[in-house]
Amino acid sequence: MTSIPRPQQKLAKKFNTLQILRGGWYSVWAVSLFLLVVSILGITHQRQAIKTISKDAVPSILAAQQLRDSFADLDASLANELLLKPGQDRQVLADFEKNRKKIADRLVAAATTMTNSSEEKIVQSLQFNGSGYLLKLQEARDARNRKDSIKAVNIYRSAANLVDQYILPQAEQLDLVNSQELEDIYGQQNFTNGGIALLIALLGLVQIGILVSVQIFLYQRMRRIFNLPLIGATAISLIFTLYTISALVGAKSDLKVAKEDAFESIHTLRQARALSYMANADKSRYLLDSANANLHDRAFKTKVAKLANLPPGKSLVDIIKLIPLNEGDLSFKLAGFNGLYAKQLSNITFDGELAATIEMLKSLDTYLQIDAQIRQLYRSGKVAEAIALGTGYQQGQSNWAFEQYRNANEKLRKINEAVFAEKIIDANQKLNYFEIIAPVALGGVAVITLFGLRPRLAEYL
């Protein structure tokens, strides 16, 4: 006959049955209270991290990049306006007004999401320099209206310098400040989440261990084979522990997908969009400022290389042909190919993302081919034709091609934005009602334990 081990023998010699039962009861209550506090603090910290990342840091980062592309597009619109004769610039003026309004809205958005003094100083500088740019812009327009093209170009150079030396770097600095905050919060959240999940697991095991030990003690001392309330309390404790760890780990996993997969692509595409607008402005400067045409040509090519730096002897079309069309092959790397779009190709994660990336690269190639035609016309002395091609919105002209490329970039970005929003919702839903569930579950463990021990305690009172 197999004997049941008696782990309580030494304990029973030191304490009587009443003391042991009360100790078990008090221990369960104490661990329940500690577990309640730790789990709620952990869930609250996780929820706050999700909020800070999704509602504060990410919007600020995107607002900074939106400011960059809006100011760059505004600058390109001004250059195009100065290239055209009055009456030919209606679409350019419409684009200009659209961007001016966007800048005003985005400065307000950046101001409302500020979380530290560094951001406040940058936003104030952007507002100040943006106002200065608009004043210079009007001076350039006035000079053009007076048919003083030389002065108009000189004033434009001053305005462009303000954009290049102050406004765009300040917007980039706003991105960097918030990106660093995002990384700090995300890293801290990962560390804290793991530590709290481990502590909750240990506390849950301690609580279950106490309940099981009390159950064994009752069997050994009082020959009670089953104590249904204690069995119920043990089951609740186990379920709650697993549920809490699952909620924390699940929310962490959702946040990881949102941040590392979706947002990294969103950020890359936003940076690429801003850089593309800046390159597009260089194209217009190339046509407007003939004295510095070579400088603007180099600036354009430098920015394009940051978008997609190609291996020697390869064109963008060659790169597109090498991209695997299988959605199951989720990354693409080619020696010598780097830049923002190489980074994007190495982070293909979601359905439709690969096809949208290829579509965007094709539209970029179309834009670059038209740009090459513009420069060829300009260098051969066909300046009027180059300006018409560079400022036109008809199919086959530069602004049409840029719009197709911009739309393709936006389509790809929206795929990632949808996943980002979905994962943030999923992460929050995993934490929903926890502040109600935790007290009910752990309070239930404590109360059920009391009811389970109460008849036995009454035998000694």
Side-chain angles (χ1 to χ4, degrees), residues 48-67 109-110 113-115 119 174-183 185-186 255-260 262-268 270 413 416-417 419-421 424:
Q48 184 60 42
I50 294 169
K51 178 183 178 298
T52 302
I53 289 172
S54 63
K55 301 295 184 184
D56 298 332
V58 166
S60 294
I61 292 168
L62 297 182
Q65 291 301 330
Q66 288 169 338
L67 281 168
T113 57
M114 291 186 300
T115 57
E119 287 182 77
L174 186 63
D175 179 312
L176 292 173
V177 167
N178 284 284
S179 292
Q180 186 58 56
E181 181 183 10
L182 173 62
E183 293 300 328
I185 293 169
Y186 184 68
L255 189 59
K256 179 179 184 296
V257 174
K259 193 273 180 189
E260 295 185 18
F263 177 71
E264 288 300 326
S265 287
I266 294 168
H267 192 205
T268 297
R270 264 294 172 192
R413 196 180 72 250
N416 287 277
E417 286 176 349
V419 175
F420 179 84
I424 292 298

Side-chain angles (χ1 to χ4, degrees), residues 41-278:
L41 285 176
I43 294 294
T44 301
H45 182 272
Q46 179 74 43
R47 188 181 285 119
Q48 184 60 42
I50 294 169
K51 178 183 178 298
T52 302
I53 289 172
S54 63
K55 301 295 184 184
D56 298 332
V58 166
S60 294
I61 292 168
L62 297 182
Q65 291 301 330
Q66 288 169 338
L67 281 168
R68 288 181 78 206
D69 64 49
S70 292
F71 270 112
D73 199 25
L74 194 74
D75 184 63
S77 294
L78 175 59
N80 288 339
E81 182 181 345
L82 298 178
L83 282 166
L84 298 170
K85 296 177 181 179
Q88 296 178 330
D89 54 3
R90 291 178 183 174
Q91 184 62 52
V92 171
L93 290 173
D95 287 346
F96 180 89
E97 286 303 312
K98 180 176 67 176
N99 279 297
R100 188 179 63 81
K101 185 178 185 305
K102 283 182 179 179
I103 288 170
D105 292 341
R106 286 166 181 173
L107 283 171
V108 171
T112 56
T113 57
M114 291 186 300
T115 57
N116 56 63
S117 58
S118 297
E119 287 182 77
E120 184 176 357
K121 291 178 182 178
I122 295 170
V123 172
Q124 287 174 347
S125 294
L126 280 169
Q127 291 172 332
F128 177 78
N129 289 320
S131 299
Y133 176 80
L134 291 175
L135 289 174
K136 290 182 180 296
L137 176 154
Q138 191 56 50
E139 289 179 31
R141 280 177 168 174
D142 291 342
R144 186 194 75 155
N145 292 337
R146 295 194 303 269
K147 298 184 179 180
D148 188 348
S149 58
I150 294 176
K151 187 171 184 178
V153 171
N154 287 335
I155 295 172
Y156 172 78
R157 285 177 187 154
S158 177
N161 183 68
L162 186 59
V163 170
D164 292 343
Q165 299 300 318
Y166 297 96
I167 292 174
L168 296 180
Q170 285 166 349
E172 180 66 9
Q173 185 62 31
L174 186 63
D175 179 312
L176 292 173
V177 167
N178 284 284
S179 292
Q180 186 58 56
E181 181 183 10
L182 173 62
E183 293 300 328
D184 291 344
I185 293 169
Y186 184 68
Q188 183 185 39
Q189 176 269 334
N190 276 337
F191 177 79
T192 305
N193 182 290
I196 289 177
L198 178 60
L199 181 57
I200 289 171
L202 291 174
L203 287 171
L205 289 174
V206 168
Q207 187 177 64
I208 292 168
I210 294 170
L211 289 165
V212 171
S213 296
V214 171
Q215 181 83 349
I216 292 173
F217 177 79
L218 288 174
Y219 173 79
Q220 293 176 342
R221 180 61 59 91
M222 299 180 175
R223 301 303 177 189
R224 306 288 180 177
I225 297 177
F226 294 112
N227 186 303
L228 291 180
L230 290 183
I231 292 174
T234 304
I236 293 172
S237 179
L238 176 61
I239 292 170
F240 174 78
T241 301
L242 294 175
Y243 164 76
T244 305
I245 294 172
S246 174
L248 284 170
V249 172
K252 178 183 176 181
S253 177
D254 286 333
L255 189 59
K256 179 179 184 296
V257 174
K259 193 273 180 189
E260 295 185 18
D261 296 329
F263 177 71
E264 288 300 326
S265 287
I266 294 168
H267 192 205
T268 297
L269 293 168
R270 264 294 172 192
Q271 289 176 311
R273 179 180 170 119
L275 199 61
S276 299
Y277 274 108
M278 292 158 65

